Amino acid sequence: DELPETYCARVTAEKLDAALVRLAARGLPPAPILCADTTVAVDSLILGKPENDADAARMLGLMSGRTHRVITAVAVADATRRAATLNVSQVEFAPLSAAQIERYVASREPFGKAGAYAIQSQAAAWIVKIAGSYSGIMGLPLYETASLLDKFGFEF
């Protein structure tokens, strides 16, 4: 019952917590850790990574001819500080035919990708418009990431 933005921020924070525990358990020297997670959402429906061909086709069908959100949370922590940010971009897909969806699913590109597509893949041909961060849609919003890392002493 979480909103997609809340879900994405929570999952990223949990990844960061787990990474900090692993760093300490391994006895490694303190160092900044960066974690990120990307969620695709149609309205309040979260589209994860497709489980099979039918699931990938279902997701692509849901996004066909409409706008969806790509939400990427980024979090950084070291031994004493923690910071996080959320990037939300809007992506409008053209209407997709059943044949287009079938060919894309057959290419195997949808698998391992939130929302069953990658903006840097052949699915880019379906994108009518984006509003937001291209790098965020790819999975790591570079401006926001650089801003967080700057707080931890990294220079760009």
Side-chain angles (χ1 to χ4, degrees), residues 77-149:
D78 63 15
T80 61
R81 299 173 290 169
R82 186 179 188 115
T85 191
L86 194 68
N87 175 270
V88 181
S89 297
Q90 306 282 331
V91 180
E92 181 183 345
F93 267 17
L96 305 175
S97 69
Q100 286 174 301
I101 291 172
E102 186 178 322
R103 281 191 304 273
Y104 189 62
V105 172
S107 77
R108 312 317 292 162
E109 282 189 8
F111 298 96
K113 296 170 181 69
Y117 81 97
I119 194 170
Q120 69 275 21
S121 73
Q122 59 185 312
W126 303 334
I127 296 173
V128 174
K129 179 173 59 174
I130 66 169
S133 168
Y134 181 84
S135 61
I137 297 165
M138 283 182 60
L140 188 65
L142 296 180
Y143 174 79
E144 290 83 351
T145 301
S147 296
L148 282 177
L149 291 173

Side-chain angles (χ1 to χ4, degrees), residues 23-37:
L23 181 76
R26 292 180 179 168
L28 298 171
I33 296 174
L34 182 143
C35 290
D37 196 72

